[in-house]
Amino acid sequence: KATKGNDYLSILPVELLTHVLSFLNPTKEVDGAVKQVSKTLWHTSQSTCLWMDFCIATGKSITTKENAFTVNSNESNAFKSIYYKNPCVPIDFSTISDAIRVCAQRDSTIYLMPAMYEEELEFDTNKESITICAAKPLLGAILTLSDLTSELLKDEPCVRITGSTTK
């Protein structure tokens, strides 16, 4: 008999719940709205496997020296930390500029999903190192700066982000 307050999601396998959550936006939905739905879904949203899958899907390298240390630390969810430290455009931020502003105070890598990005970027040279690279190295990404003055270069890619990093 159904009663108010029962968490019916708790009868589903964790693997199924993790798979369902993998289709949601990690920062806005999984780490935000899910906790309001049920305790079971919230608990599943904190799973190391889920955040590792998010890192892999957005190209956030877990094999760099710094990130390998994070994964091997005693931190409860190292993959979630790696995910938040290294944003992915357009999943975590709609523009590269927004990602740069958030990452300006720390060493970070900004990952670009395969697409063509056209925007005006401003870099503050007093900030820590920010690396921009393709989330899917085989597909790359193209960045066209929108304020080019030369008509010859207008609408042409001036920076191509490939599997190797550009600083």
Side-chain angles (χ1 to χ4, degrees):
K1 185 176 179 179
T3 60
K4 187 176 180 180
N6 284 350
D7 189 355
Y8 293 106
L9 293 174
S10 63
I11 62 173
L12 296 174
V14 173
E15 296 82 7
L16 178 62
L17 293 173
T18 302
H19 183 69
V20 169
L21 289 175
S22 72
F23 290 98
L24 301 177
N25 180 294
T27 54
K28 296 177 185 129
E29 298 164 341
V30 172
D31 215 24
V34 161
K35 62 184 166 193
Q36 298 173 4
V37 176
S38 80
K39 287 182 182 180
T40 301
L41 218 49
W42 177 83
H43 183 71
T44 306
S45 75
Q46 303 306 304
S47 139
T48 299
C49 292
L50 178 65
W51 287 95
M52 182 177 70
D53 288 348
F54 284 145
C55 286
I56 292 168
T58 54
K60 296 177 183 185
S61 177
I62 55 176
T63 58
T64 65
K65 185 177 181 180
E66 179 184 341
N67 289 345
F69 175 76
T70 304
V71 168
N72 292 322
S73 72
N74 290 330
E75 194 170 334
S76 63
N77 197 335
F79 292 105
K80 187 174 179 181
S81 296
I82 292 168
Y83 188 91
Y84 272 102
K85 183 179 182 230
N86 303 296
C88 183
V89 177
I91 295 171
D92 302 319
F93 294 97
S94 57
T95 67
I96 300 168
S97 297
D98 289 343
I100 289 172
R101 272 192 288 285
V102 170
C103 295
Q105 301 303 319
R106 63 180 191 266
D107 287 332
S108 294
T109 299
I110 297 172
Y111 292 91
L112 304 179
M113 292 302 280
M116 182 172 271
Y117 299 90
E118 185 173 335
E119 61 181 282
E120 188 174 322
L121 300 177
E122 290 183 25
F123 294 92
D124 186 342
T125 57
N126 296 327
K127 304 296 183 192
E128 295 292 323
S129 165
I130 294 178
T131 302
I132 300 175
C133 65
K136 307 285 184 182
L138 296 177
L139 300 175
I142 298 173
L143 174 63
T144 302
L145 301 180
S146 60
D147 65 343
L148 293 175
T149 54
S150 169
E151 289 302 316
L152 294 174
L153 295 175
K154 201 73 165 163
D155 298 324
E156 290 295 318
C158 60
V159 178
R160 183 177 299 270
I161 310 294
T162 61
S164 60
T165 58
T166 302
K167 286 192 178 184

